[in-house]
Amino acid sequence: MKATKRLRELLAGDEIVVLPGAYDGLTARLVEQAGFPGVYMTGAGTAASYGYPDYGLITMTEMTEKAAVLARSVKIPVIADADTGYGNELNVTRAVREFEARGIAGIHIEDQVSPKRCGHLDGKEIVPLDVFVANIRAAVQAKSDPDFLIIARSDARAVAGLDEAIDRVNAALTAGADMAFVEAPCTMDEVATIPQRVAGPCLLNMVPAGRTPLVTTQEAQEMGFRMVLYPGIMLVAQITAGAEALRTLRDTKKAPTVPLTAQVMQAFQVLGAAEWDELRSGFQSVAQASSARRGT
């Protein structure tokens, strides 16, 4: 089944769709092996994987190439951060085509001025409403697969207030977007009111230490959200654990003790070593059988 169709089936189901953030093949595989139904390619995490903060420094080409790595690493759907669409309607059109060509199941496009900033930072600017709606309309028209998901994200809450953000995502839904993403609501009341006031499916973004109060996935579902993202869960874990391991090595002059599951071969199993071993064994068996026939 195509990733796009699988994602649509998930969204049509009874359970909220929970997508942890990943930014390379390893983190995507960890998400899949943990049993989640899909992966979110976080823009902040992807920027970090290139050694940059989430300041709009990553190009469309860098984002789509990294998206291709995630999509070919897992069998579950991948949704990608497409930032601002990387320009005007023509750039948005190309971005949709490029993400689609790499097997991505959906993207979100936001209304920030380029270069954008992390949705939970100060100093954001937004484009005029008509520019945002035109970009969403271009994205909808550009997709070749009707199941490819277009998510309209508004960062207007921090700039012009919650009412403006809700008006913007509603306008985007009217223009053909499949889902609404109001970024960084600041109170529980604001979080709860979004699904009530938005005329379509809603996504909630959970950023640790961000502006939005953290809720459980069950609470998000009860409020009416259909999808919840955890973009920083792997990135924060890697930074924290990695920094601690390096401090231990520096201070004790020896590598930190790791559990058995983190030993070399066990780590490679996370990356599909068994599949590659089986593939090679199959080729070797065929070669041995062929040699045996020639020798008789």
Side-chain angles (χ1 to χ4, degrees):
M1 182 185 299
K2 290 184 67 173
T4 51
K5 184 174 179 59
R6 178 55 184 150
L7 179 59
R8 292 283 183 167
E9 288 188 351
L10 289 169
L11 290 170
D14 295 330
E15 296 297 318
I16 191 169
V17 180
V18 179
L19 303 183
Y23 43 86
D24 59 16
L26 171 59
T27 52
R29 288 183 71 95
L30 286 170
V31 169
E32 181 179 48
Q33 290 171 24
F36 290 95
V39 179
Y40 171 57
M41 192 186 89
T42 159
T46 302
S49 74
Y50 282 107
Y52 294 109
D54 190 13
Y55 282 6
L57 299 171
I58 305 302
T59 66
M60 183 205 70
T61 300
E62 289 170 323
M63 290 293 284
T64 55
E65 290 308 310
K66 187 59 72 77
V69 171
L70 270 68
R72 62 106 167 123
S73 297
V74 296
K75 296 180 176 64
I76 54 179
V78 177
I79 289 179
D81 184 346
D83 298 312
T84 63
Y86 310 103
N88 63 21
E89 300 93 335
L90 301 183
N91 303 99
V92 170
T93 296
R94 183 188 171 200
V96 170
R97 292 174 179 175
E98 297 290 347
F99 278 108
E100 261 198 304
R102 286 157 176 79
I104 300 304
I107 58 174
H108 65 72
I109 298 174
E110 65 201 59
D111 58 356
Q112 281 196 56
V113 169
S114 185
K116 54 76 61 83
R117 293 170 65 83
C118 169
H120 292 257
L121 295 179
D122 294 328
K124 295 184 293 184
E125 299 178 70
I126 54 176
V127 299
L129 174 59
D130 62 337
V131 172
F132 178 48
V133 171
N135 282 341
I136 295 299
R137 189 173 291 115
V140 172
Q141 184 172 313
K143 64 181 183 177
S144 60
D145 182 346
D147 289 328
F148 186 79
L149 198 74
I150 302 295
I151 303 168
R153 165 178 156 173
S154 178
D155 285 72
R157 165 63 186 87
V159 179
L162 184 64
D163 289 346
E164 177 67 16
I166 289 175
D167 287 346
R168 282 172 171 248
V169 296
N170 277 331
L173 289 168
T174 299
D178 300 295
M179 178 171 281
F181 176 178
V182 175
E183 176 66 304
C186 295
T187 68
M188 287 295 292
D189 285 344
E190 288 187 355
V191 173
T193 197
I194 289 170
Q196 298 174 15
R197 297 178 57 191
V198 171
C202 295
L203 176 160
L204 182 62
N205 195 30
M206 293 279 90
V207 178
R211 297 191 173 192
T212 302
L214 297 180
V215 300
T216 67
T217 56
Q218 182 63 37
E219 289 169 334
Q221 178 164 331
E222 290 170 355
M223 290 178 185
F225 289 95
R226 287 301 304 130
M227 182 184 292
V228 58
L229 307 180
Y230 289 86
I233 189 167
M234 297 290 290
L235 179 63
V236 171
Q238 180 178 2
I239 291 172
T240 303
E244 179 58 31
L246 292 169
R247 280 194 295 269
T248 299
L249 175 60
R250 180 195 63 201
D251 296 342
T252 68
K253 306 300 188 290
K254 62 181 181 180
T257 302
V258 295
L260 179 62
T261 54
Q263 298 300 322
V264 174
M265 196 56 210
Q266 283 74 18
F268 289 159
Q269 293 296 354
V270 173
L271 299 167
E275 299 169 25
W276 290 99
D277 289 341
E278 182 179 355
L279 183 65
R280 190 177 185 208
S281 295
F283 288 130
Q284 290 177 333
S285 297
V286 171
Q288 290 167 359
S290 177
S291 296
R293 286 194 298 271
R294 288 197 301 271
T296 57

